[in-house]
Amino acid sequence: RSKSVGNESAQPCRSRSGAQTIVHQRKKNMPNTRTVALVVLLGIISIVTSENTPLRTCFRNSAFRVMEQPVSSLRLQWDSWTTSQITTAVAGIILSEKMGYNVSLHAGVSSGGVYKALFDGEVDLAFEVWPSGNPVPFKKYAREFVAVVAGEAEEESAVRAYKYTNLFGRSGIFEIAQSTNAPMLQDSLSSPSGQHHFMQENVENPEYGEWSNSSLCSSGNCTVQILHITPTGYDEGQVEELVKQLGIPAKVAYLGQTAHTDAIWSAVTKGTGALVYSYEPNTNQHGIPIDSLARAKIPPRLDFKPQQLVKLAWPGLKDNYGGDALTFIADFDLTKSDYADLAKLYDNFQDAQDAACVWIKENPDKWTHLVKFPERKRAGFVCFPSGVLHGHCDAVYAQAWALFALQLVLSVAFTAWSFVARHAPKYPDNIRAKLDQAISRASVGSASMEKLPQKKRGNKMFEWFMSMAHEHRMGVEFVDEVHDVPCIFKHIRTYENFILPNVDASLGLPPAGGNDRWASTLARSALYPYLFFSSGDGLKSVLLTGVAFGFFTGALSTLFYLIVRWQTFQLDVVAFQGGHPTRMEGTFMQIIEKCSGQISGLINAFLLLPSFLLLGYLGYAVSRWRGFQDLSFWILGSLNSTALVVGSSTNDGAHSHASKRLTYRVYRYLTVTHILCHKVLGMNRWLTALTFDDLVRLGLLTDYEALVLENDADRAHEIVNSWVAMEMFDGSRKDGLLHRRLTCDMATKIRSNIGAFHGHFSLGQPNLWSGLMRLVCDLLVALLVFGNPFSGFLFANGPMQWTVVVYTWLTVMPYLSASTIVKCLSNPYTSSHDMFNATAVIAWGERTQFQNLRCAFNSVQNHRSVQEHADGHAIEISSTLRTKVSQDSTEVARQQVLIRVDRIV
C-alpha cells in the first residue's frame, strides 16, 4: 500500500498477483512459514483495503469555485512513491477546486496493474508513470496519444499516454561510501573486501522478505544486500534480473518505504558502505538528495536507461464528459526544477497534499493556463434530451427554455385570439324573412321598439363588470338596436291616416327613430370596456395583437439569454460563475450591445415619417367620419325644410282634397328619397334587403311608381326627388294648390346634399400617401418587434425579460391602433364601432316631415274656422280627447288634460 497521507506510518502496497509471485520465487529461501503467511496476508489486505484516499481542500476561503463537472468521480492513481503522490496531489487540487471535478485518489493498484485498471476504466488518470518499469503492460494497453487529422480514425480502446516535455526519470543501484577496490560493481563484489564493504547495512528479516534466487547464492555466498523498497511497484523484477546478468553475489532485500529511507540516512550518516535501489527525480531521504549519491558502475548495456516519464488517461473520458480532464493531462507539464521545489516543500511538511497546495499557491503562473474547458465547447445548445443536468444545463437553463416555449405559445394563442376577435358578433342573418315578417305585421301608427333578447356575453365576472359600466351597456344596447328590424318597416302609411288632425285619437304617428349613434362620455367605466371588449373592427384585436408581439419579442429575448449563457459557459468560466455574460470578441453579447445603439438610433430616425403620415391620415379619417354625420344631417335638414315649406304653402289645405293629396305625395316621396339615398350605398343590411314591392306594401309607393323606379334602381332616389320638384312647381303654377311665392329650389338642395353625401364615400387620401403610410408603419412595427430584443435586453433581468415584453406592447400598440381606427372610420355605416344608425335618422326625418306637411291641418287658424262654421264639432272633439285622455297612466296628467279640454269646449 501507499504511504498514508499525513504522518501516519507507511503501509505496504502490493496486489494478489504480486504476493503470489514473490512467494513462488522465495519458496526455497524463506526462513520459515511465518513469513510466507505474512506475505500472503499482506497481499489479501491490500486487495480488501484498496479504497480511495480523500483529497483535502486547498483553497478553503476561495471566493471562486467552478461548478461541478458531469463526471460522477474522477479517479486518480495514487502510487506508493512520494514524487507520484506530490504530482498527483498538484493535479488533483487543480482538477477539483479549479475545474470542478469530484476527484478521488485511487490507491491499491500497483505500477504494473495501473495499465489494466486504466484500460478497464477503474482508474481515470495517472500522472507519473515509468514506462520502462513495466514495459510489457505498457506496450499491451497504452499508446502514445497524437491528435489525429480530421477524417482519420482514432484508436479508441488504447490507454492514452502523454509524455512530459522535459522530465526524464532514471532508476538504478546507488553506492553509499563507494568502494575503492574496483570501479565496476561486479569487480568490487568479486572480492571478499568489496563484499564486506557493502554488507555493512545489511538488514536482518526485512519487512517484505528478500530475493536470493541467483545461482551464486545457492551455496550461501550472497552476503551483500541490495536495499530495495518493495517487490512490486518499483521496476518489478528488473533489479533481480540485473543481479543475474551481472553475476554478482547479492541478494535483494525489500525493506518498505520507511525502512528504506532510514537505511539510506544511516549509511550516509555513518559513512558505511551500502548498495541501495532508488530513482531520480525523487524527494530527499531525510534531507539527503538522491542525486548526491553515486550511481553504481554498471555496463551501459545492462544499466537502467533514462526514460521520459508519461501520464496516462482512460480513453473513455472522451465520451463521458471528460474532455476537460483529457486536455488538462495533455497540457500538464512539470520540469526537473519543479520537482526539486516540490521535494523541498515535502521535506518541510512531510505530506504530499500540503506540499502540493503550497506550491500551487506560490506558483499560479505555472498552472493557471491549464484551467481550460474545451469540453464546454461541445456542450449542446439544446442539451436536455440527453438527460444530463450539468454545467449550463441546470435549473435556470431549463426554466429559460420553458419560458421561451411558453412565450411562443402565448404569442400564437394571442394571435389566434386576435383573429377571432376581428369577427363581429353574429346577428340573425335571415334578413329577408325577418323583414317580410315585420312588414306583414306592420300597422298604422307608432310601432313598438322591440329589443333583441339579451345575450349572455361572458361569465359572471364580465356581467358584473358590465353592470358597473352603465354607459358601456348603453353602447352595447345601441349596437343590438342597429341590428334589430328598423321601426320604419313596422308602420303602414295611408292617406286616411295622413289627413287626420293631431287631436284625432285615431291618428297614427310615424314611430320614433331611437338613437342615431352612441356617444360616450369621458368616463373610464365606459371607454375602457369599449376598448377592451370591442370585437370586430374595434381595438380589441389590436390590443391582443400587441400582446402577441410583446410575448414574441419576450421569446426572442429569452432566446438571446439562452445563447449568451451558453456562450459564456463555453468561453468564460469566471464570468459564468459570477453570473455575468461574456463580452469576448465575436460573442453574441457583444453583437447585442453593438446592435442595441444602432437599432435604437435607426428607430428614432425612422420614427418621424410613419408618425407624420399616420397622424395626418388619422386626422383626415376623423374629419371624414364627422363629414358623414354632417352630410347626413344636411340631407335630413333639407328634407325637413322642404316639408315645412310645402306644408305651410298649401291654399285651403284644411278643406281641399287636392292639396291634401299633394302634401301626402310629397310626404311619401321625401321619405322614399331619404330611404333610397342610403339604400343605394348598401350601408345598412335592412335597407339593402328592401325592395320596391316592400315600399308598396308599406304605403310609400304605388304599384306604378315602383314599376317606374325599377327600371333605374341605382338612380331611384334622383327620380323620386324630381317628383318632389314637379309637385312643388305644378302645385304653385297650375292649380293654385300651393302659394305662388313658394321657393321651388328646395329639391335642388336635397339633390346637392345627397350628391355630396355620396361623393364623401369616394373622397380619400392619395393612393401614394396610403401605400407609403402602410409600408412605413409596417416597417416600423417590424423594427420594434425585432429591434426591441436588442435594445432592451438586460442579462441581469434573467430569462424572463418583462421590460422587453411591456415596452414592445406599449410602442407597437399606438401604430396598430391608429391604422385600425383609420380603417374603422372609413365607413361608419358598416363598421362595428362608432357607427351611425341610418334608419334612426330616416325615422326621425319621417316623423318631422309628417308634422311639417300637415301643418295646414293642425294650425290655430284652422281651429278657429272650425269653431265658427261647425260649433257642433267641438263636442265631438271634446269627446274624442276625453276618450284618449282616459288611457293616460297618471292621475295628474289626466286632470291637466281634462281641464284643457274643458277650456276648448
Side-chain angles (χ1 to χ4, degrees):
R1 289 190 50 168
S2 65
K3 182 179 182 297
S4 299
V5 177
N7 296 321
E8 298 176 5
S9 60
Q11 295 179 339
C13 173
R14 57 189 298 153
S15 64
R16 180 187 298 270
S17 60
Q20 291 176 344
T21 303
I22 298 302
V23 171
H24 176 73
Q25 291 175 346
R26 298 179 61 247
K27 270 186 179 180
K28 297 180 181 180
N29 302 299
M30 291 299 290
N32 51 48
T33 56
R34 187 184 200 179
T35 306
V36 175
L38 177 62
V39 173
V40 174
L41 179 62
L42 289 174
I44 295 174
I45 292 175
S46 69
I47 296 173
V48 175
T49 61
S50 294
E51 299 178 355
N52 293 337
T53 301
L55 181 67
R56 298 192 300 272
T57 302
C58 177
F59 295 89
R60 290 181 175 83
N61 298 321
S62 176
F64 169 76
R65 288 186 63 86
V66 73
M67 67 166 52
E68 290 189 3
Q69 293 274 1
V71 180
S72 59
S73 177
L74 193 66
R75 297 154 297 182
L76 308 187
Q77 168 69 1
W78 189 252
D79 292 308
S80 58
W81 61 93
T82 309
T83 55
S84 177
Q85 291 181 359
I86 298 174
T87 305
T88 304
V90 170
I93 291 171
I94 298 173
L95 287 168
S96 173
E97 302 187 40
K98 298 302 179 181
M99 297 185 67
Y101 283 101
N102 182 17
V103 175
S104 62
L105 305 177
H106 195 70
V109 180
S110 66
S111 60
V114 69
Y115 300 97
K116 181 66 165 58
L118 282 162
F119 183 80
D120 294 337
E122 298 175 2
V123 177
D124 297 315
L125 301 175
F127 283 90
E128 185 178 310
V129 177
W130 299 58
S132 298
N134 297 278
V136 175
F138 181 84
K139 292 181 180 179
K140 180 178 180 181
Y141 295 109
R143 297 290 185 274
E144 182 180 353
F145 181 79
V146 178
V148 298
V149 180
E152 294 183 3
E154 178 184 324
E155 189 173 358
E156 298 289 343
S157 59
V159 175
R160 294 188 175 189
Y162 303 91
K163 292 182 177 180
Y164 282 97
T165 304
N166 193 26
L167 184 60
F168 292 84
R170 187 180 185 187
S171 56
I173 301 174
F174 293 82
E175 296 180 359
I176 300 177
Q178 287 182 284
S179 173
T180 57
N181 294 334
M184 301 299 292
L185 178 61
Q186 61 267 44
D187 295 336
S188 178
L189 293 179
S190 62
S191 63
S193 59
Q195 296 178 16
H196 181 269
H197 175 75
F198 287 115
M199 62 180 291
Q200 298 178 57
E201 289 295 327
N202 281 4
V203 178
E204 294 184 4
N205 298 323
E207 183 177 359
Y208 296 109
E210 62 182 8
W211 177 88
S212 58
N213 205 22
S214 173
S215 58
L216 298 178
C217 299
S218 59
S219 58
N221 295 327
C222 295
T223 57
V224 177
Q225 288 181 337
I226 299 177
L227 306 180
H228 208 321
I229 304 172
T230 58
T232 60
Y234 302 88
D235 294 321
E236 296 179 16
Q238 295 192 32
V239 176
E240 294 84 345
E241 185 64 26
L242 179 62
V243 171
K244 289 181 180 180
Q245 293 182 3
L246 291 175
I248 55 178
K251 298 179 291 186
V252 180
Y254 307 107
L255 309 183
Q257 181 67 58
T258 303
H260 184 266
T261 302
D262 293 341
I264 294 176
W265 179 85
S266 176
V268 172
T269 302
K270 295 186 294 185
T272 55
L275 295 176
V276 298
Y277 165 84
S278 192
Y279 54 90
E280 296 179 287
N282 198 352
T283 57
N284 298 336
Q285 309 295 301
H286 293 320
I288 301 173
I290 294 299
D291 58 5
S292 66
L293 304 182
R295 293 185 64 86
K297 300 297 189 297
I298 298 173
R301 62 182 182 84
L302 300 177
D303 200 2
F304 294 102
K305 303 293 189 298
Q307 53 183 306
Q308 193 171 6
L309 302 186
V310 299
K311 304 152 287 185
L312 300 180
W314 175 46
L317 284 174
K318 181 175 68 71
D319 301 322
N320 289 273
Y321 304 100
D324 296 342
L326 289 175
T327 302
F328 175 83
I329 195 172
D331 296 339
F332 184 78
D333 205 7
L334 294 177
T335 63
K336 194 172 182 179
S337 63
D338 296 332
Y339 262 67
D341 294 339
L342 287 166
K344 292 178 182 178
L345 291 171
Y346 181 81
D347 281 347
N348 296 332
F349 293 98
Q350 289 298 303
D351 184 275
Q353 294 192 43
D354 289 345
C357 180
V358 173
W359 184 86
I360 288 174
K361 292 179 179 179
E362 292 179 351
N363 300 276
D365 56 312
K366 294 188 177 182
W367 58 267
T368 49
H369 66 282
L370 300 175
V371 181
K372 295 181 293 187
F373 299 91
E375 183 71 24
R376 295 189 174 193
K377 295 183 179 180
R378 294 177 52 195
F381 181 58
V382 182
C383 52
F384 296 106
S386 63
V388 179
L389 286 176
H390 72 90
H392 69 300
C393 296
D394 53 5
V396 176
Y397 202 68
Q399 178 188 8
W401 274 112
L403 288 172
F404 171 73
L406 176 62
Q407 289 178 97
L408 280 183
V409 171
L410 288 176
S411 177
V412 174
F414 275 96
T415 301
W417 191 2
S418 69
F419 278 104
V420 173
R422 291 176 189 176
H423 298 286
K426 289 187 177 181
Y427 292 91
D429 53 1
N430 50 345
I431 302 299
R432 185 65 251 176
K434 285 187 172 293
L435 189 59
D436 286 337
Q437 182 182 8
I439 294 176
S440 63
R441 294 171 56 186
S443 60
V444 178
S446 299
S448 60
M449 297 294 292
E450 297 182 1
K451 302 289 185 181
L452 285 178
Q454 292 293 328
K455 300 178 181 179
K456 186 176 181 181
R457 299 176 179 273
N459 52 28
K460 293 182 178 180
M461 180 64 69
F462 177 81
E463 292 297 326
W464 172 84
F465 183 77
M466 290 293 293
S467 66
M468 301 298 294
H470 175 68
E471 287 194 51
H472 180 68
R473 178 175 289 277
M474 294 173 59
V476 173
E477 292 175 352
F478 167 75
V479 175
D480 292 341
E481 181 182 318
V482 171
H483 292 280
D484 191 11
V485 180
C487 61
I488 60 175
F489 301 140
K490 301 176 182 179
H491 168 62
I492 300 296
R493 289 81 176 172
T494 64
Y495 173 72
E496 292 74 15
N497 180 70
F498 179 79
I499 63 176
L500 292 176
N502 284 355
V503 294
D504 195 320
S506 62
L507 175 66
L509 295 175
N515 295 322
D516 62 298
R517 69 175 292 259
W518 176 68
S520 173
T521 64
L522 292 178
R524 295 181 179 87
S525 60
L527 293 176
Y528 284 177
Y530 190 65
L531 290 177
F532 297 131
F533 301 113
S534 55
S535 57
D537 53 4
L539 295 183
K540 180 179 179 180
S541 62
V542 174
L543 299 176
L544 293 174
T545 302
V547 175
F549 281 147
F551 279 118
F552 178 74
T553 56
L556 289 181
S557 299
T558 303
L559 182 63
F560 289 179
Y561 177 86
L562 288 166
I563 296 174
V564 171
R565 195 171 190 271
W566 175 53
Q567 286 191 341
T568 304
F569 174 79
Q570 288 184 316
L571 304 175
D572 195 338
V573 61
V574 176
F576 186 82
Q577 287 304 110
H580 308 296
T582 179
R583 291 178 171 82
M584 294 182 180
E585 187 68 27
T587 59
F588 194 69
M589 188 64 195
Q590 189 187 55
I591 295 175
I592 291 176
E593 292 178 342
K594 287 182 178 179
C595 293
S596 175
Q598 296 175 356
I599 292 177
S600 297
L602 177 61
I603 292 176
N604 292 332
F606 188 71
L607 195 62
L608 179 61
L609 181 60
S611 301
F612 169 76
L613 293 176
L614 190 58
L615 287 176
Y617 208 111
L618 186 60
Y620 152 77
V622 174
S623 299
R624 183 171 178 270
W625 177 84
R626 291 189 185 132
F628 282 116
Q629 195 173 22
D630 291 340
L631 291 172
S632 177
F633 287 128
W634 290 348
I635 294 173
L636 176 64
S638 61
L639 291 170
N640 293 341
S641 297
T642 302
L644 177 62
V645 170
V646 173
S648 61
S649 300
T650 57
N651 294 323
D652 195 20
H655 305 285
S656 172
H657 287 286
S659 297
K660 293 179 179 179
R661 289 195 174 278
L662 183 146
T663 55
Y664 179 62
R665 287 195 300 272
V666 173
Y667 161 66
R668 291 190 297 108
Y669 294 159
L670 291 177
T671 303
V672 172
T673 300
H674 206 178
I675 292 174
L676 293 180
C677 84
H678 288 85
K679 171 181 168 58
V680 295
L681 298 174
M683 299 180 301
N684 184 287
R685 59 179 188 162
W686 300 106
L687 295 177
T688 302
L690 189 69
T691 64
F692 292 112
D693 289 338
D694 295 331
L695 294 177
V696 173
R697 293 166 63 190
L698 291 171
L700 291 172
L701 290 176
T702 64
D703 290 329
Y704 181 77
E705 290 169 344
L707 182 63
V708 172
L709 296 178
E710 285 179 349
N711 290 328
D712 192 2
D714 293 338
R715 289 291 179 269
H717 61 285
E718 300 281 3
I719 298 174
V720 177
N721 188 45
S722 67
W723 293 349
V724 174
M726 290 175 61
E727 292 291 347
M728 294 176 67
F729 278 104
D730 290 345
S732 62
R733 288 185 303 179
K734 295 180 180 180
D735 303 327
L737 299 179
L738 299 177
H739 199 280
R740 292 185 178 276
R741 294 182 179 180
L742 173 68
T743 301
C744 297
D745 61 348
M746 301 299 295
T748 60
K749 293 182 178 179
I750 297 173
R751 170 59 184 81
S752 62
N753 288 334
I754 292 177
F757 180 68
H758 289 180
H760 205 60
F761 282 91
S762 59
L763 179 66
Q765 293 283 64
N767 292 330
L768 290 176
W769 179 303
S770 302
L772 181 61
M773 181 202 70
R774 174 62 68 183
L775 174 63
V776 295
C777 285
D778 290 345
L779 289 176
L780 179 60
V781 170
L783 275 176
L784 292 172
V785 170
F786 292 99
N788 284 341
F790 287 92
S791 59
F793 177 78
L794 289 175
F795 187 83
N797 288 347
M800 187 62 207
Q801 301 282 316
W802 280 113
T803 55
V804 176
V805 176
V806 175
Y807 182 73
T808 300
W809 183 78
L810 291 176
T811 52
V812 168
M813 188 263 295
Y815 293 93
L816 296 177
S817 300
S819 300
T820 302
I821 291 174
V822 168
K823 181 179 179 181
C824 179
L825 299 183
S826 61
N827 191 336
Y829 294 97
T830 57
S831 64
S832 302
H833 304 280
D834 284 310
M835 65 181 71
F836 298 152
N837 188 357
T839 57
V841 177
I842 295 173
W844 285 115
E846 181 183 0
R847 193 162 192 173
T848 303
Q849 295 151 26
F850 183 83
Q851 295 291 358
N852 288 347
L853 287 167
R854 297 171 59 259
C855 62
F857 313 154
N858 301 288
S859 65
V860 176
Q861 291 83 353
N862 184 41
H863 174 64
R864 291 174 181 172
S865 177
V866 170
Q867 284 183 325
E868 294 173 358
H869 296 90
D871 294 337
H873 289 284
I875 300 174
E876 182 180 355
I877 293 173
S878 173
S879 177
T880 302
L881 289 176
R882 290 176 186 274
T883 303
K884 186 172 183 179
V885 167
S886 65
Q887 301 173 358
D888 199 297
S889 59
T890 63
E891 183 65 25
V892 176
R894 184 183 300 112
Q895 293 299 327
Q896 290 177 349
V897 175
L898 289 176
I899 293 172
R900 190 179 303 114
V901 170
D902 290 339
R903 286 202 302 268
I904 294 174
V905 173

